[in-house]
Amino acid sequence: MGSMDVGNKSWNVQRLDVQEFSDRTRGKLMNVFSQPIFSELNRSKVDDIWYLLVNKGGSSRFAVTMGIAGERALCPFSAPFGYPEAIKDGLGVDSYKEVGCVLDDYFANNGIKSVKFTFPPSFYDPRAIETWMNVLFYLGWSIETIDISFGFHIP
């Protein structure tokens, strides 16, 4: 398990099996592509699937499903988009930054040399997606592509 101490609070990444991840995230994940049932249907497309929770102290704050292909971690690995989802309300930018740091550390300490997130257009979850892009850029990640889709309001 990767961990990072932040002040007096400890952030850590916890890898779970599919059943425990499903139980602990039930009703909390907005993105259908983050659901374990979807990931398990596509398991053959990667070497492994990591179901990760990021916790602060004893409280789970974020969840993400990563497909592992060699030394690469992909989110999504068989869908149009995916990203670490907040599973607790009221998290600020500072929480996203700490999660970015602890995930960075976790991947490096577990043999992952490349990580790729493919975010949806921002209208799907504007606050989270824009915050993640800013935080990952701040942490030195690069942006390879940006999907600019247009949503139309139909009354």
Side-chain angles (χ1 to χ4, degrees), residues 28-29 61-63 83-89 91 96 128 132:
K28 298 178 182 177
L29 297 171
R61 306 297 173 100
F62 288 83
Y83 57 98
E85 288 192 56
I87 57 173
K88 182 175 176 118
D89 293 333
L91 299 173
Y96 284 74
W132 273 122

Side-chain angles (χ1 to χ4, degrees), residues 5-142:
D5 290 327
V6 181
N8 293 330
K9 305 289 182 179
S10 178
W11 285 88
N12 66 71
V13 177
Q14 184 178 22
R15 190 182 319 173
L16 304 175
D17 65 34
V18 63
Q19 187 60 54
E20 188 173 2
F21 184 85
S22 182
D23 292 345
R24 292 184 56 189
T25 60
R26 186 169 286 116
K28 298 178 182 177
L29 297 171
M30 291 185 353
N31 177 3
V32 67
F33 305 125
S34 297
Q35 302 293 332
I37 194 164
F38 182 85
S39 298
E40 290 299 315
L41 287 173
N42 293 288
R43 179 174 276 283
S44 65
K45 297 181 180 182
V46 290
D47 301 329
D48 197 5
I49 300 173
W50 289 359
Y51 294 101
L52 306 177
L53 286 184
V54 183
N55 309 302
K56 181 178 183 183
S59 174
S60 297
R61 306 297 173 100
F62 288 83
V64 63
T65 302
M66 305 295 299
I68 307 302
E71 296 177 329
R72 295 187 67 195
L74 308 167
C75 179
F77 59 90
S78 183
F81 56 79
Y83 57 98
E85 288 192 56
I87 57 173
K88 182 175 176 118
D89 293 333
L91 299 173
V93 174
D94 57 331
S95 292
Y96 284 74
K97 181 181 172 209
E98 299 303 343
V99 170
C101 289
V102 76
L103 282 173
D104 227 1
D105 180 54
Y106 183 82
F107 293 133
N109 288 325
N110 284 280
I112 299 298
K113 298 200 181 327
S114 171
V115 180
K116 182 177 181 180
F117 291 109
T118 302
F119 290 95
S122 61
F123 66 81
Y124 280 90
D125 189 357
R127 183 177 179 279
I129 294 163
E130 296 299 326
T131 302
W132 273 122
M133 286 186 186
N134 182 285
V135 163
L136 294 174
F137 180 78
Y138 172 82
L139 293 174
W141 293 45
S142 62

